[in-house]
Structures are given as C-alpha cells and as structure tokens.
Amino acid sequence: MAETKLVHLKIDDRDVEVPAGTLVIEATRRLGIEVPSFCYYPGLTLQAACRMCLIEVEKAPKLQTACTQVVGEGMVVRTNTEQVRNARKFMLEFLLSNHPLDCPVCDKGGECELQDMVFRYGADTSRFVEEKIHRPEEKWSDLVYYDAPRCILCFRCVRVCDEGMDVKALGVGMRGAHSIIIPNREDHLECEECGMCIDICPVGALTSGTYRYKTRPWEMQYVSTICTHCSNGCKTTLSVRNHEILRANNRDLSGINKEFLCVKGRFGFDFTKHPERLKQPLLRKGGKLFPVSWEEAAQAAATKLKELHTAYGGEAIGFIGSNRASNEENYMLQRLARATFGTNNIDHHRTADYTGLVTALGERAADSSLTMEHLYQSNAVLVIGNDPSNQNPLVGWQIRAGIRHNGAKIFLVNSREIKLERKATQFVQVADGQEAAAVRWLATGEGQLAAGVSEKLAALKSALEAEPDVAIVFGSELTGKAIEDVVAFGLKLPGKVRYMALGDYANSRGAADMGVLPDRLPGYAYLDNRGVVESLAKHWGAQVPTKQGMTAPEMIDAAQTGRLKALYVVGANPFAHFGKSAAGRGNLGLLIVHELFLTETAQLADIVFPAASAYEKDGSVTNTAGEIQLLHKAAEVMGARSDFDLLRIVSHQLERAGLGKAFHFKTPAAVFEEIRKTVPGYNVESIGLLTGGAEPTKIEFSKNGHAPYDVPVQLIRPANDNLFTSGTLGRFCTMMQTLPEAEAKP
Amino acid sequence: MQLSPKLAAKFDKLQSSYPVKRSALIPMLMYGQDELGSVSDELIAEIARRLGLNNVQVEETLAYYSMLHRQPIGKHHVQVCTNVACMLRGGAELLEHAKKRLEIGHKEVTKDGVFSLEEVECIGACTGAPAIQVNYDFYENVTPLNLDRLIEDLDKGKRPEPQGVISGALHERAKQETPLISKRWGIKDSHKIDVALQHGAYQALDKALKQMTPESIIDEVKQSSLRGRGGAGFPTGLKWSFVPKDSPKPKYVICNADESEPGTCKDRPLMEMDPHQLIEGITIAGRAINAHSGFIYIRGEYRYVLDIVDAAIAEAYERGYLGKNILDSGFDFDLLIHTGAGAYECGEESALMESLEGKRGNPRIKPPFPAVVGLYGCPTIINNVETLCAVPAIILEGGLTYANRGTPKNGGTRLLCVSGSVNKPGIYEIPLGMNMKKFIDEMAGGMRNGKKLKAVIPGGSSCPVFRAEEIDIAMDYDTVAKAGSMLGSGGMVVIDEDTCMVDMARRIMHFYAHESCGWCIPCREGTSWLKKMLDRFHAGLGRPEDIDLIGELSMNMLGRTFCPLGDAAAMPTISIVQKFRNEFEDHLQGRCAYNKSAEALIGSR
Ligand SMILES: Cc1cc2nc3c(=O)[nH]c(=O)nc-3n(C[C@H](O)[C@H](O)[C@H](O)COP(=O)(O)O)c2cc1C
Ligand code: SF4
Ligand code: SF4
Ligand code: SF4
Ligand code: FES
C-alpha cells in the first residue's frame, strides 16, 4: 500500500494525527469523542442529510458537517460548544416534530438510535403542538414492514440496498416533509429479502416480520455464532429468549461479514423449532421406526456395528460425514472410522474440490488462500463459474464492497449472465460447461473455444497481468485438472494471486480439511504420508489404515450390491443426494443416521439419533475461504444432542462392546486441541477464535511425489443452493420457503 | 406499450440526445403525461424499459416533481398562483372563486374529467398578477369575471388566446432605462434568427471565436465585473476560471432557466424575445471553458418558451451558429434544451444537475463545486439566463465599458421585475446602483391606489424584507447586502399598508415547505413545522410564546441546512418577525386588520 500522508489537527483541544483524507467524524471517533450521526454510515456514500454531526471548525463561517468535512493540517475542531450542543438539540426537536414517539410499542425501543440521541442530546420537552403527518404502516413482504411516521429519512436503507446489495429495491417517494421510503413494486417489495435495510435502520421504521412485537431487546440473550447455511461463514448474533431464537443479526459489525447477512443468515433459523424436529432416538423394529430410550438406541448401534465388523471387517463399514457438522464432529467421525473400524471408507457430499485446490497449490497452499478480507482488498477479482450473489452471498457482498471502496475490477468467466455482470469490467461468456475449457486456454493456450471467446480471454489475461493483487474465485465448474490449470494460469500472472474454491454448506471446507475423505487423511495428507500417519497413530493409539476407501457414491452403490454392510451417516442425506432413495437401502445390514429431521436417508435407517443443529452446539467450522470460526450454543431443543455427544455415546458403547477406544473428550474444545496437533494447518492461535474472530487455516501440504491429482467430475456435486434454498435443511425453513421470491428462483 | 407515432418519435429522439440515457427520464415523463393525461403504470414500465432503469428509479424520480401526476388530471388543468406577487393582487380570492365556480378543491378533478384545479407556486408571471395557467397557457391579470368567461370558453371547446410575451416586458421604455440585454425586446419577431441577425445577433460570437482566446474571453468577463443574476451574485468570470484546463473529461455549460424564485419573471422575456442572444452567450461561455456541449434547463411550466428557444436552436444549427465548426472557427458546440417538471429546488445548481441526470432534485454535497465535478461528474459551469445574456454585450462593448455601467464590483445593467402594489409592475433594465426608492416611485409608477408602502422584498421571496424607511439605498449587490438583505434574483415585490405581514410570512413559508426537497432534517421538518404554526397563528389561534418560537426555529435552520433553501425559508421569516412583531402581537388579540379572507387561506394545501 502506498504510504499515506498524516495530517495533524486539534479536536476539542486534543491533538490527533490521522491519514490525509480522513473525515472529521472518523477522526473524532479515534479519540473516543462521539459526534452524533444518523445518515453517516461507514462504507456507504455520504449524505450530510441529518445535520446531527454539525461541529465548529475554526475559521469556517458556519457549522460544518463532520461527516463530510475532510481533515486538514492544523485544523481546529470543536465538538462540544454551546453552539454545537444547541444545534443538536434543535435538530432532534425538528426531527421529533413529526415522529410518533410510540416507543413503548415500537420494536426498536431500547435499541433505537433516536431514543439514545434524544436521551443524550435532546431537549426534555417538545414545543410542537401542531398535527403530525400520519400514514398507516405498510407491509412490504412477510419479512419487511415500514412505518413511515417513524422514518427519519437517513437513507441508510436505500443506500445499503443499492450500494451494498446492488438490488436497488428501495427509493424515496414524495418530497419535503411528506418524503417516504418506497418499495420497488408500488406497495410491496420484490427483492433478495436480505433484511439489511431492517437492521441498518436506526429507528423502528423498518421492522422484521419474524421478530416484530415478539419481545423487548432487554429480555433476550445474545449469542454470536456462525450461520449454518452456505459455506461463507457469516457471523450471526442470535437473540434468544427461553432457549428460543427470535432474531438473527450482526449489529456489532464484528466478524468477517461485518453487518452483512443474507436472507438465510438473518431469517433462516426457524427450522430449529420446526414441528418435525426429531426429539427421540428411533429404532427400527419389525420394519418400522419406533421411539426408544437413548440407552436402547446406543446399545443397539454398538452391538450391531461390532457384530458386522467382526463378521465382515472394516472394509464393509462406511461412514458419511457432514457438511454442516462442526470440525470437531467430523474429525471424531473420521477418527472413529479409521481408528476404531480400521477403514478409509469415509467421505462426505463434496460440493467443491478443496482437495484439488490444496493439491494444485502444494507448498503454496497456506500462502495462497484467499480470505474474505483479501477478497475485499484485492485489486482485481476473477470469478470463474458460480453465481456468487445468489450462491455465495457474502462473497458477492465482498466483491461489491471492493468495487465501491477500492475500485476493484471484476472479471467474469461464466456460461450464464450472472448478476455480478453489471459490475464487471470484463465478462467472457462461454458455452455451457465450458468454464474448464476457458481456463485450460488461459493456462496453456490450448483447446477449441467458440468464436470470439479466445480473443476475449486474451484481453482478460492481459488486463489481469497488469494487476498487482488478483483474487481468483471459482465454483464447482472447476475440479481436479481444471484447478491445476487455474493455478498454472495464476502462477504466470506477475501479481500476487490468491484462490478460493466455492462450495456449498456451512462446513464443507471443514469436513474436507478434517480428512472426511477416502483418499486423504486430515489436512489432505496422502494415506502414505508417514509423518502424518505416525502422528495420528500416536494420538489415536491405533493403526491408521492405508488402503484407499470408498467415496460416498461408491458406498451407496456398494450398499446396493451388498459389499457394504453398515453405513453410519452423520448429518447428511446421501440417499437423496446420490439419487438412490428410490432404490432403498439395498442390502445394508445396518444404517445409522444422526439427523434433525426424518430425511429420505433417515427414513431408511435402522437407528436414528436426534441431532442438534449448529445453533444448538459449540464447536468450530471452517468456511469456504479456509477461515476457522467458533460456534456457540444459542438454543436448546429438548431431546436433541450434538453429534459430538452422540459420537461420544456411541464410542463408549462400542468400547463396552469390545471395539476400539471411547472418546474421552469432555468438550468440543478438547477435540480442537487434538485437531491443532494432528491436522496440518489447524495449529492456529486460539485467542483470535475465542474473541470471536476468524483464523485462516495454514494448510501445509506436500505432494510427496504423488501423481497429478484428478477427480471424477461426478464426485463434486454442487448443491446449487440459491438465496432461498439450503439443501435439506432449507426445506424446513418455513419462512424462507414461503417467500414469493423463493418460488421465482430456479 | 403502444405509443402514438409522435410520442414514439419524441422518445426515440430524447433517448439518444444525452450523454447518459437516464437524463431523458423527466422529459419523457412530461411528454408522455402530456399525451396520456397522467403517468400510468404502463408509461412507467415503457420508460423504464427504454432507459434501462428499474421501476423504483422511475417512481422515486417522478414522485418528486409537482407537475407529474400519477392520477389523471382534467383536460383543462387550471393552475392558480397564490404566491406573494399574486397574493398581493388577489390570487387567493381568485383561487376561492375558481373552487366555487368549478365546484372542486385543490388538486381535484371535476366529475366529467374536464377541469382540474391546483393552487400553484409562483409561475413567473408576477408582473401580470394575478396569473393563472391552464395546462401550459398563461393568462395574466385574471379577475373572477374573466376567469368565469375563460372557463365557459374552455368548456365550449374554445381555447382563449393565451398570453404570449409576458405583459410586464412590453411597456414603454422609461427614460432611466438602459436597454442592453433587453434591447431587442418589442421588435417584431425578434425571436427569429433573421430579425435577430439584422439587430446584431451573433456578432459577439464571431468576435469571440475569431479574435479571442478562451483566456481573453474569461479576462473580459472578469473585467466586466459581471455577477451572477440567478441569486447568489457570484462573479461570473471568476467562476469560469475555476474550470480545470487540464481535465481530460468533457466539460459542460448549463444555463439555469429554472426561474422559480417567487417574484421573478425576467428570464422568461429574455428567452421568448431574444433566444438567440442566449444561445450566443452560452456558446461563448462554452468556448471560454472549452466545452462542446451545453444544456438549457428550463422550468416545466415554461413550455411555450421552451418551444420558442428550441426553434431558435434549430435555426442556429441551420445557420452554423451551433454544431460543428461554428463560423469556420473549428469550434464545435451542441446545445440542448431540457424541461424541468415542477420543483423550485431544481434551480439550485447541484440539484439541477441531479435533475438533469434524471434523478430526484436533491442537492449535492459541496465541495466539490460544479466547476470541478458537475454534470455527469465533469467540470461544469452553470449560469443564470440573464448572466449568459449579458455575455455577448460584454464581448462587443468590452468588459470595462460594461463594468462602468454599474458601480464598482457590480458591473453592468440588470433586469428588475417589480410586482405587487405598484402602479406599473414590469420588467425594467437598469444600471446597477440605481436608488431603490426612486425606482419604485418613478419607474414602477409609485404605489397603487395611493396606498402607503409597508415593505419591500428586494430580490425574490428568499430575501429579508425591508421596511418602507429602509429602502433609500443603491441597488447593487454590496449595498443591499450591507443593508441586511440581498439583490437576489431581481424579483422585487412591493407590499402596501393593507397587507398582513403575518399572512405574508405564512404564505412565504407555505412555499418553502412545499418546495423543500426533504433531504435534510432542519429544512424538511422546520418548514413544515413553521408552516403549520403560522397557519394556526394567522387563524387567530396563536400563543404568545409562538412568536419567539417562530423566530427561534428559523434562526436554528439558518446556516444549518444542507443547501440554501433552508436559509431562504428562514431569512424572510426572521426579518418579518423582527420587523413586524407588532402585527404578530395584534393577532394574539384577535386582530388581523388587513386580511378579509383569512379563513379562506388556511388549510388550502
Ligand atoms: C433553492 C435555490 C433555488 C435557485 N433557483 C434558481 C433559479 O431558478 N434560477 C437561477 O438562475 N438560479 C437559481 N439559484 C441559484 C443557483 O444555485 C446558481 O447559483 C445560479 O444558477 C448560478 O448562476 P449565476 O452565477 O449566473 O447566478 C437557486 C439557488 C437556490 C439555493
Ligand atoms: S426506513 Fe429507516 S433506514 Fe430507511 S430512511 Fe427511514 S429511518 Fe432511515
Ligand atoms: S452468505 Fe451464507 S453464511 Fe452468510 S448469511 Fe448468507 S447463507 Fe449465511
Ligand atoms: S435545505 Fe435541505 S431539505 Fe431544504 S431543499 Fe436544501 S437539502 Fe432539501
Ligand atoms: S451524519 Fe453528518 S449530516 Fe448526518
């Protein structure tokens, strides 16, 4: 970064030094001096509309707005003079003249910026005795309600929808004192329903359909955890009362997403109390599933597993891990498979080829991973395939923010005209499924492309060659060899290049990192990596199997043929995903499932354990960018238990039945301690995690002389979730399901 | 949507006329509404489609402008001005009469859909007050009697001959007048290029292009000490010199023809009687800053003036005074006239640029100033019609000669429109520095009906008022400022002893509340609050503490709003409360000695 000049100024008689170009309002905040503001919102365009931030600047003829005044050398600023205080008081009096002051029934009561300001800066009485302008409240969608009289016209909502979301669904109607905010479809909204406008609203003018009139802010507890939907890993603060989640937002702007949440993160928590949640273990008796006691279910599981293991060996037993379970749980599952059952029959529903990326990067893996912050900071972003705004909303948000704040340039290679196109510097449209071919051309100049495409790619290439900092983001269109190509292309660029593979689901990256893979150990180590094998053996007190296991689709096939006798599924729906649910469970002797709902897979099971969702447990997850973050238990669903608990229970029963060693971890944190030691790349500082931050993994990988890696295309199966879907879980998010926009989306 | 061939052709043309398509939005809405009677959902969708906008972008823009209607208006839309100049000549009574005659209220439509009525703000016909508009036709000096006749005629399908050239510009020249920029007024067909050429048009352009450099043009204008005639009085040459010479971006000249300051109606005759002088001035300005494109932003109400100027632009293109390689000088310049749609705030330069870009007329944060970041983010100079009309004269007679017509730092002549309680309301060109009292007594013919002078609004309703005894001063920018007011836009409103100053303050505040764009809290809420309070007060429901509160609220708007509209609302109010406090006190006693139809005025909008 170019060195910025520092400017010295005096604010309220205190000296401060800030980079040139800083706004006075930011400079005051550095000193801990509060200058009130409504319309100023970091990251959004300046408005200078509310006039709350008026301050004195020496030599200026009148009060200046701190939100637009840029610092100057030797400037003298006063923020707390009689004149300034008076201006604030009047501004609030003006504002309240048309405000209903219905705080006792307003959702925002207790966390309203206007209330706070009046308390701090306002007059105690109003001299306004005229009639106020009245308008009835409007319902814009199931999620968004607008109460015009409460609106203070700070235009934050309009800006966040336009600038932040690039949706432009909100505007300003009428003028003067009659000005109001208007939605894009006359009397209702048709948009991405992200709810950003609701949370950014400083007052109770925009309220949430799911939260309104439910409770008061001071009656709730706040738990920050990680969104359980897509792979982007937004931090979300859950507002909880009596173990029930009532709201999700991120008003403290902490975490990798700051205030951003998409519709799923903000409103997709109602599955936790869906009536179909499983709350008791189920056991198949006489062809039907019956609720049984925990003891009976766990014993049945252990006995049967032991029996089949003894009869057929570990080769006949398979494990499918979870894209949503925590790192700890996935780690425990693969340890159970490998250490207890001696098998590498462990996999998960892979939606991105993380293995391919780590392998292609090799020694560069740690240094070349693209975090969400890097993505925002990059000068240029190349997006190959995928539709970030729709499938990876935070990635889309970061890219847009980079464009707005840093003038980042966006380059797209895609077969579809995705939404990001309108912000793109260059867009190369390729034929359906030709993203990999385009990348091959970029890397090698080889291959046949449709007319005109190679010229466009050449232009794209030369543009990227001029950029010092390039982010390459790609979807499941690139796997195996194609990822090698993209890395080869990146290596040829003169600038610093970082990569991000886009998967679906909250912890797909974590599952892969944990070694929930039939051909790789934790940290993507090859099965013959002596160092890793020895270290694992030491920690597990067991042999580590070296024979490659079956992939998830292979396991489902093997279940049909009878080669697989037992399948243990944690938080996954393989019989639905791999298209075999119609064929039934085949010749499996045992199917154990940890689930929230009676999914297609759970319906086929012999034993179903009611599992807790991510919002009901502690642990850690890793987002698609390779950033580790902690989950915190927010809600409690009676009867459901975390996979951590379930795996512990089962391991104890197995030990009792004479198979393997029980897990002695007391908490997920204890598992994480082991992960730090055994999973290359996870030895991160825990202080950052504990304080709510994200720590990028630093995968250390060595090719160990292995042949070039490739993966059968059909093994990487994107879920193609959009803004309103979220795999199997999404089917139980009632609110999201019923939005008209959800139906309109493919 | 199926458009008529004429409208489709108009839309096609508009769409391709601007550097950025969205700029065509407001004109498209206006012309669309003219043909369809209102802005329908289909029209919105059609325009959105043509301009690549979404619904909300169109809707939020159109909702801002008072001339755009979502609901159908009458075939004959009767618009009665009740702003200060008309108010002093019975505008409010005329509105009441119209309501009774048509049996509808403000913003209502007769059952048969033939008539609709609207109380409107100043329409720029102040010297012919009270004035009305029916659709785009002006009628001046309207009495209840001839309003009835007008309505009868319209009802019968006849279109009574509308007022053409504003009557106030057609008086005999007074001997103190110094016609310089108004010199071609009154000549038959002076708006036509051949007539204009016979009387010296485009000689200055020829000189500027062939004998002068951009720098020497700016120097000449600096020497002339020409100051902006739009209101703020900023030195024009200095403004032009702020345009960065090395900017690679295109540069623009904008002529501000939004003329909406209550009491002001001088740009209108300049455009209708001498459009070529304006075109010439704009083109010279373009040359001075090396711009190749200019826009005239004209208020939507002045449609017939727009048509006159548009025809003149076409003539100028034809004769090579516009377009490529003007007069063989190698200089290219294009000019486009653009209609507004009813918004006083769009006269503010940065709001005007937003509006010209097809958006709501919200002002922009300054700095940066337009000379650096203006229209489409490019360096832009914006000047009032009258300012630009003075440029050809300055080029021809030289900056110094021009300057010497006025007083030091206040060069030249200016147009004053005097309206209200005088015998000879009209638009007069006088040298800057003439004595105000003398002007009223002599040129404006003294007080009407022998009444006594009570107060003078010297330059549009945004200025603090003078009491009768304060007007023995020279009318130049600096002297008037020293005396505590402004020369402003040249719209002088003379107020006689029969006028209630509380009512005056009330009517003025109605205007600003109606025109506040709503962007900033103090103006949006302050004007609305003050309007309600002044209504109540004038109706006799005032409380003693209200008088101070009115003053205090105004004082707290002053200097704290986003743009000067807030100041414009505060300044006259503060001055009226200070200078006519006794009248407020009288109201507390239930005495409004002057106004007979107080109730009629209240709550009308
Ligand atoms: C609320 C408001 C309304 C204005 N209306 C007009 C107008 O109608 N015509 C005009 O020429 N200037 C108007 N102005 C002044 C313009 O902002 C600008 O100063 C002027 O066009 C510059 O031209 P000049 O220097 O030639 O006067 C207005 C200013 C404000 C604050
Ligand atoms: S709805 Fe809220 S965020 Fe939007 S302008 Fe009104 S107060 Fe501001
Ligand atoms: S972008 Fe992904 S992680 Fe973020 S809120 Fe949406 S679904 Fe959750
Ligand atoms: S002062 Fe504020 S509300 Fe009033 S017109 Fe200017 S910006 Fe708009
Ligand atoms: S924060 Fe500065 S004007 Fe609103």
Side-chain angles (χ1 to χ4, degrees), chain A residues 376-379 401-409:
Chain A
Y376 166 61
Q377 300 284 357
S378 298
N379 303 89
I403 301 170
R404 282 184 294 133
H405 300 155
N406 312 323
K409 299 195 190 93

Side-chain angles (χ1 to χ4, degrees), chain B residues 228-230 239 256 258-260 345 347-349 383-384 387:
Chain B
R229 309 295 195 226
K239 186 192 277 189
N256 188 343
D258 194 51
E259 186 160 73
S260 314
E345 176 60 7
E348 194 284 331
E349 55 192 23
N383 278 115
N384 173 254
T387 314

